[in-house]
Amino acid sequence: MAVGSKQKRGKRRRTEPAAPAARAGAASFALLFAAFAGAALIVLAPALRGPFVSDDLHYVPNNPYVTGFSLALVDDVFDPRGEAVTITENYTPVHLLFHAAAWRAFGANVVGHHVLNALLHALAAALLVPLLRRSGLPAVTALVGGAFFLLHPANVEAAAWISQVKSTASLSFALLALLALERRPALATACFAAALLAKPTSAFALPVALLFTWTRLRADVARRCFAWLGVWGALFAIYAVVEMLAFTRAVSGVAPIHPD
């Protein structure tokens, strides 16, 4: 009894420092995100009042599954054979849910939609910093890498175009999946699924996760992660089939621009 009590106390002493460290890490990330969010809003300020243009129109203001969204429509949004897929020409229900939530919050006020996308872009840039740190880069180098991604002109289109919330949201979910894989694989798998359902290009996370697991993790942890990555692979395979069928159905009646 006494020996067991000592062992338990020793175990508690060994794990106690983890809580303050986790809180400090969360506080540091919150400050990083706040700084990146402020920078993103400053840089994107000229675009915050930009109107709905091009794809925005059929994704957001002219989409009844966004402007008239209700819980009764959830099944339709997630149905790969439903009308929502025909409207958006892709199976991306999480993308539509982001727009529906934004429309409920901001309506036709474009500023709110732009701010949401800017904040998601800042979140993705902030998540990139701990991922670079975990890859072995020094803290300053990782911070510069995140800031470079945040401010690079190549990302302006995705961050300033309202309908591209699918890009910023899917990237954020994918980076969360990569960061959570080692310690919270179930959460990571859920994030990977959400990323796919926001935009198919988030499939990039699967080979990155495989490479990271192979080169960076201990053998025992790697075996567990590889098992979960098998689930990722199955999810991607299922999604690829559903997306291909949904896309084919959505564009089947669209006339080609040129005969050839």
Side-chain angles (χ1 to χ4, degrees):
M1 293 285 293
V3 173
S5 299
K6 289 180 180 178
Q7 289 175 341
K8 289 178 181 179
R9 286 196 297 270
K11 186 176 182 180
R12 281 197 296 270
R13 281 195 295 269
R14 287 194 295 272
T15 57
E16 279 171 0
R23 286 194 294 269
S28 298
F29 181 80
L31 289 173
L32 175 65
F33 171 65
F36 276 16
L41 291 173
I42 291 172
V43 170
L44 294 170
L48 294 184
R49 296 191 178 277
F52 294 110
V53 295
S54 187
D55 287 356
D56 297 344
L57 298 173
H58 73 265
Y59 272 123
V60 187
N62 297 334
N63 189 339
Y65 291 93
V66 169
T67 58
F69 181 80
S70 67
L71 292 179
L73 294 178
V74 170
D75 289 344
D76 292 335
V77 170
F78 279 89
D79 184 358
R81 300 167 301 175
E83 185 184 358
V85 172
T86 304
I87 294 173
T88 59
E89 298 179 356
N90 277 292
Y91 183 61
T92 54
V94 169
H95 176 208
L96 286 186
L97 291 179
F98 265 96
H99 283 313
W103 188 270
R104 178 62 63 90
F106 313 118
N109 184 352
V110 293
V111 175
H113 296 270
H114 282 298
V115 168
L116 171 63
N117 205 15
L119 293 179
L120 285 170
H121 176 57
L123 177 61
L127 289 169
L128 189 60
V129 175
L131 186 63
L132 292 174
R133 288 284 290 132
R134 194 172 294 183
S135 301
L137 294 180
V140 174
T141 305
L143 182 60
V144 171
F148 183 82
F149 178 82
L150 176 74
L151 302 173
H152 197 285
N155 289 321
V156 168
E157 182 177 357
W161 192 1
I162 290 173
S163 59
Q164 284 302 311
V165 72
K166 59 185 176 183
S167 298
T168 53
S170 65
L171 180 57
S172 296
F173 277 125
L175 294 176
L176 279 170
L178 292 171
L179 288 167
L181 177 61
E182 182 179 353
R183 296 183 180 179
R184 296 179 176 84
L187 174 62
T189 302
C191 289
F192 179 66
L196 285 175
L197 294 176
K199 189 175 182 179
T201 53
S202 56
F204 81 88
L206 179 55
V208 172
L210 287 168
L211 181 62
F212 185 84
T213 301
W214 177 262
T215 59
R216 288 285 173 182
L217 300 184
R218 298 193 320 266
D220 56 332
V221 179
R223 282 193 295 271
R224 179 168 60 93
C225 289
F226 277 131
W228 279 98
L229 289 176
V231 179
W232 287 31
L235 288 173
F236 171 65
I238 294 169
Y239 175 79
V241 172
V242 172
E243 164 68 358
M244 181 60 69
L245 293 175
F247 181 76
T248 302
R249 177 179 173 272
V251 302
S252 60
V254 178
I257 297 175
H258 301 289
D260 58 352

PDB file of all heavy atoms in Angstrom, residues 223-244:
ATOM      1  N   ARG A 223       4.351   3.586 -34.873  1.00  0.00           N
ATOM      2  CA  ARG A 223       3.444   2.477 -35.200  1.00  0.00           C
ATOM      3  C   ARG A 223       1.987   2.865 -34.957  1.00  0.00           C
ATOM      4  O   ARG A 223       1.107   2.566 -35.768  1.00  0.00           O
ATOM      5  CB  ARG A 223       3.815   1.243 -34.375  1.00  0.00           C
ATOM      6  CG  ARG A 223       5.030   0.495 -34.899  1.00  0.00           C
ATOM      7  CD  ARG A 223       5.150  -0.867 -34.249  1.00  0.00           C
ATOM      8  NE  ARG A 223       5.407  -0.761 -32.817  1.00  0.00           N
ATOM      9  CZ  ARG A 223       6.619  -0.682 -32.264  1.00  0.00           C
ATOM     10  NH1 ARG A 223       7.688  -0.689 -33.066  1.00  0.00           N
ATOM     11  NH2 ARG A 223       6.769  -0.592 -30.962  1.00  0.00           N
ATOM     12  N   ARG A 224       1.751   3.534 -33.838  1.00  0.00           N
ATOM     13  CA  ARG A 224       0.381   3.970 -33.536  1.00  0.00           C
ATOM     14  C   ARG A 224      -0.110   5.001 -34.558  1.00  0.00           C
ATOM     15  O   ARG A 224      -1.246   4.931 -35.031  1.00  0.00           O
ATOM     16  CB  ARG A 224       0.345   4.559 -32.128  1.00  0.00           C
ATOM     17  CG  ARG A 224      -1.026   5.075 -31.710  1.00  0.00           C
ATOM     18  CD  ARG A 224      -1.031   5.354 -30.212  1.00  0.00           C
ATOM     19  NE  ARG A 224      -0.042   6.359 -29.856  1.00  0.00           N
ATOM     20  CZ  ARG A 224      -0.296   7.674 -29.769  1.00  0.00           C
ATOM     21  NH1 ARG A 224      -1.520   8.117 -30.001  1.00  0.00           N
ATOM     22  NH2 ARG A 224       0.648   8.531 -29.434  1.00  0.00           N
ATOM     23  N   CYS A 225       0.768   5.938 -34.922  1.00  0.00           N
ATOM     24  CA  CYS A 225       0.377   6.971 -35.891  1.00  0.00           C
ATOM     25  C   CYS A 225       0.139   6.376 -37.280  1.00  0.00           C
ATOM     26  O   CYS A 225      -0.801   6.781 -37.979  1.00  0.00           O
ATOM     27  CB  CYS A 225       1.448   8.059 -35.955  1.00  0.00           C
ATOM     28  SG  CYS A 225       1.512   9.101 -34.483  1.00  0.00           S
ATOM     29  N   PHE A 226       0.980   5.403 -37.673  1.00  0.00           N
ATOM     30  CA  PHE A 226       0.778   4.776 -38.978  1.00  0.00           C
ATOM     31  C   PHE A 226      -0.575   4.071 -39.042  1.00  0.00           C
ATOM     32  O   PHE A 226      -1.236   4.060 -40.088  1.00  0.00           O
ATOM     33  CB  PHE A 226       1.902   3.781 -39.274  1.00  0.00           C
ATOM     34  CG  PHE A 226       3.140   4.421 -39.827  1.00  0.00           C
ATOM     35  CD1 PHE A 226       4.388   4.130 -39.290  1.00  0.00           C
ATOM     36  CD2 PHE A 226       3.075   5.315 -40.884  1.00  0.00           C
ATOM     37  CE1 PHE A 226       5.536   4.721 -39.793  1.00  0.00           C
ATOM     38  CE2 PHE A 226       4.223   5.916 -41.396  1.00  0.00           C
ATOM     39  CZ  PHE A 226       5.450   5.612 -40.851  1.00  0.00           C
ATOM     40  N   ALA A 227      -0.992   3.470 -37.920  1.00  0.00           N
ATOM     41  CA  ALA A 227      -2.301   2.824 -37.895  1.00  0.00           C
ATOM     42  C   ALA A 227      -3.409   3.852 -38.136  1.00  0.00           C
ATOM     43  O   ALA A 227      -4.343   3.616 -38.910  1.00  0.00           O
ATOM     44  CB  ALA A 227      -2.508   2.112 -36.560  1.00  0.00           C
ATOM     45  N   TRP A 228      -3.298   5.008 -37.488  1.00  0.00           N
ATOM     46  CA  TRP A 228      -4.285   6.069 -37.696  1.00  0.00           C
ATOM     47  C   TRP A 228      -4.197   6.637 -39.104  1.00  0.00           C
ATOM     48  O   TRP A 228      -5.220   7.007 -39.699  1.00  0.00           O
ATOM     49  CB  TRP A 228      -4.102   7.177 -36.656  1.00  0.00           C
ATOM     50  CG  TRP A 228      -4.726   6.852 -35.346  1.00  0.00           C
ATOM     51  CD1 TRP A 228      -4.121   6.346 -34.234  1.00  0.00           C
ATOM     52  CD2 TRP A 228      -6.115   6.996 -35.014  1.00  0.00           C
ATOM     53  NE1 TRP A 228      -5.041   6.172 -33.224  1.00  0.00           N
ATOM     54  CE2 TRP A 228      -6.267   6.563 -33.681  1.00  0.00           C
ATOM     55  CE3 TRP A 228      -7.230   7.448 -35.709  1.00  0.00           C
ATOM     56  CZ2 TRP A 228      -7.496   6.569 -33.036  1.00  0.00           C
ATOM     57  CZ3 TRP A 228      -8.456   7.455 -35.072  1.00  0.00           C
ATOM     58  CH2 TRP A 228      -8.586   7.023 -33.750  1.00  0.00           C
ATOM     59  N   LEU A 229      -2.987   6.702 -39.654  1.00  0.00           N
ATOM     60  CA  LEU A 229      -2.850   7.223 -41.010  1.00  0.00           C
ATOM     61  C   LEU A 229      -3.476   6.283 -42.033  1.00  0.00           C
ATOM     62  O   LEU A 229      -3.843   6.712 -43.131  1.00  0.00           O
ATOM     63  CB  LEU A 229      -1.373   7.473 -41.332  1.00  0.00           C
ATOM     64  CG  LEU A 229      -0.766   8.665 -40.577  1.00  0.00           C
ATOM     65  CD1 LEU A 229       0.724   8.784 -40.881  1.00  0.00           C
ATOM     66  CD2 LEU A 229      -1.483   9.964 -40.933  1.00  0.00           C
ATOM     67  N   GLY A 230      -3.582   5.009 -41.674  1.00  0.00           N
ATOM     68  CA  GLY A 230      -4.354   4.098 -42.511  1.00  0.00           C
ATOM     69  C   GLY A 230      -5.812   4.531 -42.594  1.00  0.00           C
ATOM     70  O   GLY A 230      -6.451   4.442 -43.653  1.00  0.00           O
ATOM     71  N   VAL A 231      -6.337   5.031 -41.470  1.00  0.00           N
ATOM     72  CA  VAL A 231      -7.702   5.574 -41.456  1.00  0.00           C
ATOM     73  C   VAL A 231      -7.768   6.817 -42.343  1.00  0.00           C
ATOM     74  O   VAL A 231      -8.739   7.008 -43.093  1.00  0.00           O
ATOM     75  CB  VAL A 231      -8.151   5.900 -40.017  1.00  0.00           C
ATOM     76  CG1 VAL A 231      -9.564   6.479 -40.012  1.00  0.00           C
ATOM     77  CG2 VAL A 231      -8.074   4.655 -39.139  1.00  0.00           C
ATOM     78  N   TRP A 232      -6.734   7.668 -42.254  1.00  0.00           N
ATOM     79  CA  TRP A 232      -6.682   8.851 -43.128  1.00  0.00           C
ATOM     80  C   TRP A 232      -6.745   8.424 -44.592  1.00  0.00           C
ATOM     81  O   TRP A 232      -7.471   9.030 -45.391  1.00  0.00           O
ATOM     82  CB  TRP A 232      -5.400   9.630 -42.883  1.00  0.00           C
ATOM     83  CG  TRP A 232      -5.315  10.394 -41.612  1.00  0.00           C
ATOM     84  CD1 TRP A 232      -5.895  10.079 -40.422  1.00  0.00           C
ATOM     85  CD2 TRP A 232      -4.579  11.593 -41.392  1.00  0.00           C
ATOM     86  NE1 TRP A 232      -5.565  11.012 -39.469  1.00  0.00           N
ATOM     87  CE2 TRP A 232      -4.757  11.948 -40.033  1.00  0.00           C
ATOM     88  CE3 TRP A 232      -3.776  12.398 -42.197  1.00  0.00           C
ATOM     89  CZ2 TRP A 232      -4.166  13.078 -39.461  1.00  0.00           C
ATOM     90  CZ3 TRP A 232      -3.179  13.522 -41.639  1.00  0.00           C
ATOM     91  CH2 TRP A 232      -3.377  13.868 -40.286  1.00  0.00           C
ATOM     92  N   GLY A 233      -5.968   7.404 -44.933  1.00  0.00           N
ATOM     93  CA  GLY A 233      -5.946   6.936 -46.315  1.00  0.00           C
ATOM     94  C   GLY A 233      -7.307   6.431 -46.764  1.00  0.00           C
ATOM     95  O   GLY A 233      -7.740   6.697 -47.895  1.00  0.00           O
ATOM     96  N   ALA A 234      -7.995   5.713 -45.874  1.00  0.00           N
ATOM     97  CA  ALA A 234      -9.330   5.213 -46.208  1.00  0.00           C
ATOM     98  C   ALA A 234     -10.306   6.373 -46.395  1.00  0.00           C
ATOM     99  O   ALA A 234     -11.120   6.368 -47.329  1.00  0.00           O
ATOM    100  CB  ALA A 234      -9.814   4.272 -45.104  1.00  0.00           C
ATOM    101  N   LEU A 235     -10.221   7.366 -45.514  1.00  0.00           N
ATOM    102  CA  LEU A 235     -11.084   8.543 -45.646  1.00  0.00           C
ATOM    103  C   LEU A 235     -10.840   9.254 -46.972  1.00  0.00           C
ATOM    104  O   LEU A 235     -11.788   9.670 -47.649  1.00  0.00           O
ATOM    105  CB  LEU A 235     -10.842   9.510 -44.484  1.00  0.00           C
ATOM    106  CG  LEU A 235     -11.362   9.095 -43.109  1.00  0.00           C
ATOM    107  CD1 LEU A 235     -10.888  10.088 -42.046  1.00  0.00           C
ATOM    108  CD2 LEU A 235     -12.883   9.010 -43.114  1.00  0.00           C
ATOM    109  N   PHE A 236      -9.565   9.396 -47.321  1.00  0.00           N
ATOM    110  CA  PHE A 236      -9.245  10.071 -48.579  1.00  0.00           C
ATOM    111  C   PHE A 236      -9.767   9.282 -49.775  1.00  0.00           C
ATOM    112  O   PHE A 236     -10.314   9.862 -50.726  1.00  0.00           O
ATOM    113  CB  PHE A 236      -7.742  10.276 -48.710  1.00  0.00           C
ATOM    114  CG  PHE A 236      -7.322  10.777 -50.064  1.00  0.00           C
ATOM    115  CD1 PHE A 236      -7.722  12.032 -50.500  1.00  0.00           C
ATOM    116  CD2 PHE A 236      -6.564   9.988 -50.911  1.00  0.00           C
ATOM    117  CE1 PHE A 236      -7.361  12.498 -51.758  1.00  0.00           C
ATOM    118  CE2 PHE A 236      -6.204  10.449 -52.169  1.00  0.00           C
ATOM    119  CZ  PHE A 236      -6.596  11.703 -52.591  1.00  0.00           C
ATOM    120  N   ALA A 237      -9.617   7.951 -49.740  1.00  0.00           N
ATOM    121  CA  ALA A 237     -10.091   7.130 -50.856  1.00  0.00           C
ATOM    122  C   ALA A 237     -11.603   7.245 -51.011  1.00  0.00           C
ATOM    123  O   ALA A 237     -12.118   7.397 -52.134  1.00  0.00           O
ATOM    124  CB  ALA A 237      -9.690   5.669 -50.621  1.00  0.00           C
ATOM    125  N   ILE A 238     -12.318   7.182 -49.901  1.00  0.00           N
ATOM    126  CA  ILE A 238     -13.779   7.313 -49.952  1.00  0.00           C
ATOM    127  C   ILE A 238     -14.167   8.692 -50.463  1.00  0.00           C
ATOM    128  O   ILE A 238     -15.042   8.835 -51.334  1.00  0.00           O
ATOM    129  CB  ILE A 238     -14.391   7.063 -48.560  1.00  0.00           C
ATOM    130  CG1 ILE A 238     -14.169   5.602 -48.149  1.00  0.00           C
ATOM    131  CG2 ILE A 238     -15.876   7.398 -48.546  1.00  0.00           C
ATOM    132  CD1 ILE A 238     -14.506   5.323 -46.709  1.00  0.00           C
ATOM    133  N   TYR A 239     -13.493   9.721 -49.931  1.00  0.00           N
ATOM    134  CA  TYR A 239     -13.823  11.081 -50.358  1.00  0.00           C
ATOM    135  C   TYR A 239     -13.522  11.276 -51.841  1.00  0.00           C
ATOM    136  O   TYR A 239     -14.292  11.945 -52.556  1.00  0.00           O
ATOM    137  CB  TYR A 239     -13.039  12.108 -49.540  1.00  0.00           C
ATOM    138  CG  TYR A 239     -13.277  13.510 -50.041  1.00  0.00           C
ATOM    139  CD1 TYR A 239     -14.442  14.191 -49.710  1.00  0.00           C
ATOM    140  CD2 TYR A 239     -12.366  14.142 -50.891  1.00  0.00           C
ATOM    141  CE1 TYR A 239     -14.702  15.463 -50.200  1.00  0.00           C
ATOM    142  CE2 TYR A 239     -12.613  15.409 -51.388  1.00  0.00           C
ATOM    143  CZ  TYR A 239     -13.779  16.059 -51.036  1.00  0.00           C
ATOM    144  OH  TYR A 239     -14.034  17.310 -51.539  1.00  0.00           O
ATOM    145  N   ALA A 240     -12.418  10.710 -52.327  1.00  0.00           N
ATOM    146  CA  ALA A 240     -12.055  10.883 -53.734  1.00  0.00           C
ATOM    147  C   ALA A 240     -13.134  10.315 -54.646  1.00  0.00           C
ATOM    148  O   ALA A 240     -13.490  10.928 -55.666  1.00  0.00           O
ATOM    149  CB  ALA A 240     -10.715  10.210 -54.008  1.00  0.00           C
ATOM    150  N   VAL A 241     -13.671   9.164 -54.283  1.00  0.00           N
ATOM    151  CA  VAL A 241     -14.732   8.559 -55.097  1.00  0.00           C
ATOM    152  C   VAL A 241     -15.988   9.421 -55.049  1.00  0.00           C
ATOM    153  O   VAL A 241     -16.608   9.706 -56.091  1.00  0.00           O
ATOM    154  CB  VAL A 241     -15.038   7.132 -54.592  1.00  0.00           C
ATOM    155  CG1 VAL A 241     -16.267   6.572 -55.298  1.00  0.00           C
ATOM    156  CG2 VAL A 241     -13.836   6.224 -54.822  1.00  0.00           C
ATOM    157  N   VAL A 242     -16.372   9.845 -53.843  1.00  0.00           N
ATOM    158  CA  VAL A 242     -17.576  10.665 -53.694  1.00  0.00           C
ATOM    159  C   VAL A 242     -17.427  11.985 -54.443  1.00  0.00           C
ATOM    160  O   VAL A 242     -18.335  12.428 -55.152  1.00  0.00           O
ATOM    161  CB  VAL A 242     -17.879  10.925 -52.202  1.00  0.00           C
ATOM    162  CG1 VAL A 242     -19.009  11.927 -52.038  1.00  0.00           C
ATOM    163  CG2 VAL A 242     -18.234   9.621 -51.505  1.00  0.00           C
ATOM    164  N   GLU A 243     -16.264  12.624 -54.312  1.00  0.00           N
ATOM    165  CA  GLU A 243     -16.031  13.909 -54.982  1.00  0.00           C
ATOM    166  C   GLU A 243     -16.057  13.751 -56.497  1.00  0.00           C
ATOM    167  O   GLU A 243     -16.634  14.578 -57.211  1.00  0.00           O
ATOM    168  CB  GLU A 243     -14.690  14.490 -54.525  1.00  0.00           C
ATOM    169  CG  GLU A 243     -14.128  15.609 -55.392  1.00  0.00           C
ATOM    170  CD  GLU A 243     -14.940  16.903 -55.340  1.00  0.00           C
ATOM    171  OE1 GLU A 243     -15.980  16.946 -54.654  1.00  0.00           O
ATOM    172  OE2 GLU A 243     -14.534  17.878 -56.006  1.00  0.00           O
ATOM    173  N   MET A 244     -15.452  12.674 -57.000  1.00  0.00           N
ATOM    174  CA  MET A 244     -15.449  12.466 -58.445  1.00  0.00           C
ATOM    175  C   MET A 244     -16.868  12.254 -58.972  1.00  0.00           C
ATOM    176  O   MET A 244     -17.266  12.844 -59.990  1.00  0.00           O
ATOM    177  CB  MET A 244     -14.577  11.264 -58.808  1.00  0.00           C
ATOM    178  CG  MET A 244     -14.496  10.990 -60.297  1.00  0.00           C
ATOM    179  SD  MET A 244     -13.798  12.371 -61.240  1.00  0.00           S
ATOM    180  CE  MET A 244     -12.100  12.303 -60.678  1.00  0.00           C
TER     181      MET A 244
END
